[in-house]
């Protein structure tokens, strides 16, 4: 017997939003939020993992427009200068410069004071479980949620070392269920690729493994992990693809077990995980994909 179709979301009905992990393509979720609000969706709570926690936290703080303007004005060099090597640490970057740059735009609020409900999802490696951060400094929660193992150092919160929420909850549907929202919209960052197999997902002016940033990252990764030279694809790309594959499989299970009323999917080949300088392009992609999903669902 076919499953009953979920009731449609009515205009003005309280909506929860689950924002997925996806590196730089997570910035597409800014465009998704803009499209949802333009259709009259009242988002009352948001839960996010990794880059979804970043976008969701800034939205919950009421500063998404200001942050969007800051992002689209930045070029590749601006982003590279925000990377702070963690010499001798348990990650490649500390992430403090990134947080400081965002704090300049958003301020330093406590989660419990935000005008919109917010949950950042991180992972406790010692206990091997999800951690839902619903109180305390916003930036502490966001920093913990995007701490990709090996890339960023873990974040210490209440004596626990926390890492990227996308490890266990790449699409944090369950974390939205404590809210009073009537309906759930989820943004899956692992949609079907739009480019032919084998075609690199990069802008025309950014060769896949030959730009200076990639070479610099791979040099440091090899030195830290004592890898030999000459692999077919770069180590940073192998790590990104591996994490992406794991997250895609977990997200499919989460969607099957707890289906939301609406799913908006971003193509998984939209950009490479570190291409944050393509913010304008990703935001527009998110708006387009959200419009497609909304039109298809009859909203």
């Amino acid at each position: 017997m076919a499953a009953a179709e979920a009731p449609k979301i009515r205009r003005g009905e309280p909506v929860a939003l689950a924002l997925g992990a996806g590196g730089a393509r997570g910035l597409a979720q800014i465009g998704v939020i803009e499209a949802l609000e333009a259709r009259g969706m009242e988002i009352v709570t948001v839960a996010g993992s990794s880059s979804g926690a970043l976008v969701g936290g800034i939205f919950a703080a009421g500063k998404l427009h200001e942050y969007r303007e800051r992002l689209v004005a930045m070029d590749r060099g601006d982003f590279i200068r925000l990377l702070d090597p963690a010499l001798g640490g348990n990650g490649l970057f500390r992430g403090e410069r990134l947080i400081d740059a965002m704090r300049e735009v958003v301020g330093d609020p406590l989660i419990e004071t935000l005008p919109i409900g917010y949950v950042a999802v991180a992972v406790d490696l010692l206990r091997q479980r999800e951690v839902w951060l619903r109180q305390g400094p916003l930036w502490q929660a966001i920093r913990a949620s995007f701490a990709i193992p090996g890339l960023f150092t873990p974040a210490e919160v209440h004596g626990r070392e926390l890492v990227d929420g996308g490890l266990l909850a790449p699409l944090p549907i369950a974390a939205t269920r404590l809210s009073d929202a009537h309906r759930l919209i989820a943004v899956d960052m692992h949609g079907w690729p739009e480019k032919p197999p084998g075609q690199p997902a990069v802008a025309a002016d950014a060769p896949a493994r030959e730009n200076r940033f990639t070479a610099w990252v791979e040099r440091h990764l090899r030195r830290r992990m004592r890898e030999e030279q000459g692999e077919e694809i770069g180590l940073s790309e192998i790590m990104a693809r591996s994490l992406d594959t794991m997250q895609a499989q977990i997200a499919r299970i989460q969607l099957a077990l707890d289906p939301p009323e609406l799913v908006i999917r971003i193509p998984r080949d939209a950009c490479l995980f570190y291409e944050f300088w393509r913010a304008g392009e990703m935001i527009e992609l998110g708006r387009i994909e959200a419009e497609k999903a909304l039109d298809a669902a009859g909203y």
Side-chain angles (χ1 to χ4, degrees):
M1 181 181 297
E5 183 178 349
K8 288 187 177 180
I9 303 169
R10 297 190 298 271
R11 181 175 288 271
E13 190 173 20
V15 169
L17 188 59
L19 300 180
R25 71 179 182 275
L27 299 179
Q29 295 173 119
I30 297 174
V32 169
I33 292 173
E34 292 174 347
L36 293 176
E37 291 195 313
R39 295 287 182 105
M41 302 288 183
E42 184 187 354
I43 302 169
V44 298
T45 191
V46 57
S49 285
S50 199
S51 54
L54 169 63
V55 172
I58 294 171
F59 169 69
K63 297 290 185 178
L64 193 62
H65 176 73
E66 293 86 344
Y67 186 64
R68 182 195 201 280
E69 296 302 306
R70 174 74 176 266
L71 277 176
V72 298
M74 298 177 71
D75 59 22
R76 189 183 318 195
D78 293 328
F79 279 103
I80 291 174
R81 283 189 287 273
L82 291 178
L83 297 175
D84 44 1
L87 301 177
N90 49 2
L92 191 60
F93 304 112
R94 292 187 297 114
E96 299 306 320
R97 288 183 194 166
L98 285 168
I99 292 297
D100 288 343
M102 292 182 284
R103 188 183 284 117
E104 290 177 5
V105 178
V106 181
D108 198 10
L110 298 174
I111 294 174
E112 54 268 34
T113 67
L114 300 179
I116 291 175
Y118 173 71
V119 183
V121 180
V123 169
D124 183 330
L125 283 180
L126 179 62
R127 295 169 178 82
Q128 297 184 330
R129 64 181 61 168
E130 291 179 40
V131 176
W132 295 357
L133 300 171
R134 304 174 62 229
Q135 293 182 324
L138 174 64
W139 293 115
Q140 183 184 59
I142 291 175
R143 172 63 180 83
S145 189
F146 74 57
I148 301 173
L151 189 62
F152 290 103
T153 58
E156 185 173 325
V157 181
H158 303 308
R160 297 180 294 183
E161 286 200 335
L162 305 182
V163 297
D164 195 303
L167 291 182
L168 293 179
L171 191 53
I173 291 174
T176 68
R177 295 308 191 186
L178 295 176
S179 76
D180 294 328
H182 298 177
R183 298 286 185 263
L184 172 64
I185 297 174
V187 187
D188 179 16
M189 305 308 298
H190 304 91
W192 191 253
E194 289 193 340
K195 299 177 177 63
Q199 181 176 337
V202 293
D205 63 344
R209 292 176 297 278
E210 297 175 4
N211 63 70
R212 285 183 295 174
F213 175 69
T214 307
W216 182 82
V217 169
E218 290 180 2
R219 238 183 2 255
H220 282 263
L221 281 169
R222 288 193 185 105
R223 183 182 308 161
R224 184 70 57 83
M225 302 174 70
R226 298 182 180 178
E227 291 286 337
E228 296 182 357
Q229 302 288 335
E231 60 267 87
E232 183 178 347
I233 61 175
L235 182 56
S236 61
E237 189 170 348
I238 292 174
M239 291 177 64
R241 290 184 187 181
S242 300
L243 184 61
D244 218 39
T245 299
M246 179 189 72
Q247 291 178 343
Q249 293 293 342
I250 296 174
R252 291 188 188 104
I253 294 171
Q254 291 173 321
L255 286 167
L257 292 175
D258 196 0
E261 279 69 30
L262 179 66
V263 181
I264 298 167
R265 290 183 166 89
I266 305 300
R268 63 176 179 262
D269 63 345
C271 69
L272 296 178
F273 80 98
Y274 52 77
E275 292 185 307
F276 285 89
W277 52 84
R278 295 174 63 186
E281 181 184 344
M282 291 300 104
I283 293 169
E284 178 62 13
L285 174 64
R287 185 193 64 77
I288 292 171
E289 295 300 326
E291 294 283 358
K292 286 181 186 177
L294 289 163
D295 289 344
Y299 292 116

